[in-house]
Amino acid sequence: MQKALNVGMIGYGFMGRAHSNAYRKLNNFFDLEHRPVLKAVCARSPEKVKDFAARWGYESTETDWRKLIERKDIDLIDICTPNTPHAEIAGAAARAGKMILCEKPLSMNGPEGEKMVEAVENAKVPNMVWYNYRRIPAVTLAKKLIDDGRLGRIFHYRAKFLQDWTISADLPQGGTALWRLDVAAAGSGVTGDLLAHCVDTALWLNGPIDSLSAMTETFIKERKHNLTGKVEKVGIDDACTFMCRFSNGSLANFESTRYARGHKALYTFEINGEHASIFWDLHDLHRLQYFDHRDQGIVRGWRSIHVTDGDHPYMGKWWVPGLQIGYGHSFVHQLADFLEGVEKGKPAMPDFRDALRTQYVCDAVLQSAKDGKWVPVQKK
Amino acid sequence: MQKALNVGMIGYGFMGRAHSNAYRKLNNFFDLEHRPVLKAVCARSPEKVKDFAARWGYESTETDWRKLIERKDIDLIDICTPNTPHAEIAGAAARAGKMILCEKPLSMNGPEGEKMVEAVENAKVPNMVWYNYRRIPAVTLAKKLIDDGRLGRIFHYRAKFLQDWTISADLPQGGTALWRLDVAAAGSGVTGDLLAHCVDTALWLNGPIDSLSAMTETFIKERKHNLTGKVEKVGIDDACTFMCRFSNGSLANFESTRYARGHKALYTFEINGEHASIFWDLHDLHRLQYFDHRDQGIVRGWRSIHVTDGDHPYMGKWWVPGLQIGYGHSFVHQLADFLEGVEKGKPAMPDFRDALRTQYVCDAVLQSAKDGKWVPVQKK
Amino acid sequence: MQKALNVGMIGYGFMGRAHSNAYRKLNNFFDLEHRPVLKAVCARSPEKVKDFAARWGYESTETDWRKLIERKDIDLIDICTPNTPHAEIAGAAARAGKMILCEKPLSMNGPEGEKMVEAVENAKVPNMVWYNYRRIPAVTLAKKLIDDGRLGRIFHYRAKFLQDWTISADLPQGGTALWRLDVAAAGSGVTGDLLAHCVDTALWLNGPIDSLSAMTETFIKERKHNLTGKVEKVGIDDACTFMCRFSNGSLANFESTRYARGHKALYTFEINGEHASIFWDLHDLHRLQYFDHRDQGIVRGWRSIHVTDGDHPYMGKWWVPGLQIGYGHSFVHQLADFLEGVEKGKPAMPDFRDALRTQYVCDAVLQSAKDGKWVPVQKK
Amino acid sequence: MQKALNVGMIGYGFMGRAHSNAYRKLNNFFDLEHRPVLKAVCARSPEKVKDFAARWGYESTETDWRKLIERKDIDLIDICTPNTPHAEIAGAAARAGKMILCEKPLSMNGPEGEKMVEAVENAKVPNMVWYNYRRIPAVTLAKKLIDDGRLGRIFHYRAKFLQDWTISADLPQGGTALWRLDVAAAGSGVTGDLLAHCVDTALWLNGPIDSLSAMTETFIKERKHNLTGKVEKVGIDDACTFMCRFSNGSLANFESTRYARGHKALYTFEINGEHASIFWDLHDLHRLQYFDHRDQGIVRGWRSIHVTDGDHPYMGKWWVPGLQIGYGHSFVHQLADFLEGVEKGKPAMPDFRDALRTQYVCDAVLQSAKDGKWVPVQKK
């Protein structure tokens, strides 16, 4: 008999939908001891949160996240708010003994993230950050190939996250829909939004970064602000590039921007090893490009692996070979791994501590870009 | 207030899962007057059907489909069985006044399909056949581009459905998992299973076929039969190719096989018009390749459209540009269209009558392959 | 010391240029006993042939091909005329004891081709037909992979040659530039021009064809004729499709057209075997797509082989890995193979007899399209 | 009547072959007043240089480049030696009043390059550096699209040149074949060899660079030296990455390496503008990827332009649409442009002065990598 897991969600935006979908689909496809129950959703607007609850089948609503956390019938708090309140909510939830799932990035910066780690570790509550791209089957397969030692010594790592949706100077900043353009709500621009995904995957696949040199740019300097109605200075970074050295001796460059015309959400990474190389691309998320130098010379080439077979990560749970799943499924996978981790006592990653490492890299990036210098990355 | 629509499903295999998933997700993403309720699922094995019901949240189970159809609390019968009993079940469901959704192909052959059409039309019950590929967003976009007249006079149509999963001679035929290899349960091999999809899309995009010349082949002549335990003659076609002339004057060739090494479920089509051409491929289902000769010469090229924008068919309901959905979502789209059709009194296609046309083409294909002659296609 | 090989070329159109380029480059890159000398070029217009000779370095010109053939200082006759006079010229050249290189297709039809074969075999003169695509390095590699037995039993073969340059109804037919649209000069339309290439490669890679069923179409029924100045009926086939059975038991379909909008010269073939599959495409001529089912499951995928390494066919003669050669180089390769064949006494293929097999298939195609019936292919 | 242009080439390695091929093909395909004559080739080994002369049709040989320059019958000196003697040879040739074509990179460093510029400008001799990639038709087309203003304000530029041929630690350094691995002969590693190409194209397409931050790495620290027979420290950079700001406000990153497993000669660049973006890749050199945001939304996508049409740069000189040319042809194009520049009095670029700008960037890159600081780029 499955055990009910009562979920209390805070926020109902894009991520609120993605997570709710995961809770609802989980048990149809995965065999677990827990069964998530959509107990309550919380947001400031009473009307909007009720509409959301009705659409997704949440049993109740709240408008004050503190009340949600106080409720005894909630086992797990899922934080889907903008970045600013992550730390405060997570701290309260930890003290209340709730499991915590927090949207990425973990925090506004490293020191804030440290407090969050401390909170969940003191409270000994299961915790995880929604860096969902680790659970795209092709990305998980990349991790497996690396862990199996197929690549040998690593020489290069490259990652980019390219978008083009903010090129128009007419786009305002701030408010519910556009808080990612408001530095007060987001903490940074593409660094925390896009680059953080690239960094999370990179640390997972290629280990820690020692030092880096970064540059950022804000192409459009002023935009109308939705909260004030006035044209205000833009505080976020529109584009961010850095190069770095990993502890394993490899060289890397990273880039994120919202000004790369023609790319909607082109997250790509490539890793070049002594024996083999790997390339992946979010726009064709089921394909893993793999080159193995040990293949016989005349038939050596990049292999386009259509990661849809039953023996590919997670794919045995879904359809049949050749048939794709989508972006949304990565959240189902992460949720399944989180609960399996809880059930087996082996926490799924990235937990808060693991996600804090990405925060340190982002802090170093912003610092380096500001100072125009190479900066060492904090580790712990 | 939404209106409950009580679903009774017959069968719980691969398609049972795909359809159940659609019923469960529908209202989270689409705004409709109806709300599907998973009332009952029916299959011969009491244990298995109970497990399935538990996993998917069906309220009850049946082991005799006739009883399911008799139930007053069922509004809609969804037929997910092998092909043999489609006609009998549909006839009974029609007489009982139920809405009917039937897995493809409609029937074992044209004459049987005609009776099914007669049954649903006499009973005036809403009906549809699950040719789901019409609702992959890129395919729906292709239809729109054609209907908008962008292609001009059509010269060529090409479609293939290539798989490679039955190449091993050790694979047995028949039984629950492998009924598609048993001619008694499937009626034909790749013709009804794969080619039927190609034909359905082609008739939709390019209009009726006048005449055709076909060939079929059974590469592995004998396989062990799971039901008898004996090595028996294989009755299905392993591969089927035909060429034809459409009523609009275009030439076409079609192919389906389960012996194309390297292809898991490679359904592709291409259509060449006077002004523009279109290509699509199920393995990269979000991409529509589009060539427009009216583009300026020096920058003319095939455009790889990543069909994930808000103004692309269905995509406004899901995530944000660049983020993909999967195979399963096509069933949600078809269900949404079906219910919208019911609500607005404009039936969504393909209904039984529309799907019968595909049956006539498949009949002509098998006849032509048998006789080695060009065969006209029945129309009505 | 290299031996001079005095070349006499008849015709100076597109193929005249391609062949002249091959003669001039050959010894710079290939080590052979022979050194081609551009002795004479022949064409009806005295001015034009002199211009051509000046540009390419031919030592002399002729305006009557019979005179060219009579010349003692000519060792090799290269026939680059339209298809109609191939047979007469080749017959005369053979009787004069010249080596003969003839543009494809060999002849206007099979019976005419038989006489050409008889002529060269009686005269025992080295002979070859310029089916140059066999010598694109990736295509030669495909042949090697097949000969090495990597594919196992063959199930399917597919080939297409798609162009779009004759879609406009304003294009006239006939004359120097457009003789390929004039049935009197070309014998057929796409069948002899494009399909013949597909057939030549297919017979080479996959062995003989037993029987076939074909259809052809002339989309534009009348065009102005450049020779008469009048609008005249179009006698050529604009498009041709056929399906067939090879002697090795595999099924195939072939298509050629000049009405496939978006394709300039898209010659593609794919071959599916029990263990491996191959795909090639003239528009990206250096890439051979190769799928090997014996690769380990989780890293199995189509390999995109960039055929530019020193151990790939012919490539050791040119630049360094990664750097491409072009269409023109295939003629250099064929010429090198022809002369090596002469030097070593092992004739390079396709000689006239080999090329006659393609003629028989083309004849069967046109017959089948006319009669609407399956037709056996003549062999000998 | 064409004017003979007597060529004296120094060096006969890979570039000697590429240039000789260009001289020989030029007049067959291009209409110019000049006709290159292969007058003399010069190298230290008398036997080898004679073999080379015989193969390519050079009329005479020299073993001392000073003697070659003194010869009255030489109009043009082509420098194909390793990088070290470029400056000395060019200075002497300029003083002798010869036209000079020099292999890239221009010089060992900026100051040396400045002297070379001074020499040719004082002598008023036509001069050019063989940055051949500007003349790949797709790259020339990119330049045209940018000059036509299609891209609008530029936000990003990215370029990479990835190879993998030096990964083995067993590869020695130095000597005729491997001088590129010997810092004494090459001046630097990938920076001068590969990155210089990326920089040349970038300055041409996107204007000057203001400042940059670079890092370099030597992965294999010691290799056997072919000249000494001893294991010696490797002085070259195996990999080089830099990020920079262009004067037009765009951000960029560049990378070159010989340790990117799976890439033979993957030179790629991408440029993102306000309205349009461009991507190119040497491994598929005929394809230009072009995205234009002004295309209608639902059919917007990256266009794969197969740059083989008669109205594409240079392509009207070769075959017909769809048929490719290769790497070698870029040298023919550059030679044609050089001579047309001489004939019309409008020097073709990059001349020595233009190529010096690339040298300044390379100097800044090496300086920045050494100091770990942002460095301004010298301009003049």
Side-chain angles (χ1 to χ4, degrees), chain A residues 242-261:
Chain A
F242 76 91
M243 53 188 193
C244 70
R245 292 176 183 275
F246 277 84
S247 301
N248 66 5
S250 59
L251 270 58
N253 58 66
F254 289 79
E255 183 185 3
S256 58
T257 180
R258 292 179 186 139
Y259 285 71
R261 187 55 85 195

Side-chain angles (χ1 to χ4, degrees), chain B residues 106-107 109-115 117 129 203 351-361 378 380:
Chain B
L106 175 63
S107 54
N109 51 57
E112 196 184 82
E114 288 168 3
K115 286 179 199 152
V117 170
V129 179
L203 299 181
D351 62 6
F352 280 22
R353 176 165 290 279
D354 195 25
L356 176 60
R357 296 184 182 100
T358 292
Q359 218 62 46
Y360 286 147
V361 175
Q378 188 178 347
K380 201 160 51 177

Side-chain angles (χ1 to χ4, degrees), chain A residues 153-156 244-246 248-252, chain D residues 189-191 214-221 234-241 256-259 366 369:
Chain A
R153 179 180 171 189
I154 304 301
F155 295 118
H156 294 288
C244 70
R245 292 176 183 275
F246 277 84
N248 66 5
S250 59
L251 270 58
Chain D
V190 294
T191 302
M215 68 174 166
T216 57
E217 181 64 72
T218 304
F219 290 114
I220 308 285
K221 309 291 187 196
V234 172
I236 61 159
D237 43 297
D238 287 338
C240 178
T241 295
S256 58
T257 181
R258 292 180 185 137
Y259 285 72
L366 295 173

Side-chain angles (χ1 to χ4, degrees), chain A residues 74-75 92-100 123 125-126:
Chain A
I74 299 294
D75 301 316
R95 284 187 296 276
K98 312 294 191 193
M99 297 182 192
I100 310 177
V125 293

Side-chain angles (χ1 to χ4, degrees), chain A residues 31 55 264 283 306 324, chain B residues 31 55 264 283 306 324:
Chain A
D31 297 305
R55 175 178 286 267
K264 299 172 185 177
H283 274 201
H306 201 251
Q324 300 181 219
Chain B
D31 297 305
R55 174 177 288 266
K264 299 172 186 177
H283 275 199
H306 201 250
Q324 301 180 219

Side-chain angles (χ1 to χ4, degrees), chain C residues 31 55 264 283 306 324, chain D residues 31 55 264 283 306 324:
Chain C
D31 297 306
R55 174 176 286 267
K264 298 172 185 177
H283 275 200
H306 200 251
Q324 300 181 220
Chain D
D31 298 305
R55 174 177 288 266
K264 298 172 186 177
H283 275 200
H306 201 250
Q324 300 180 219

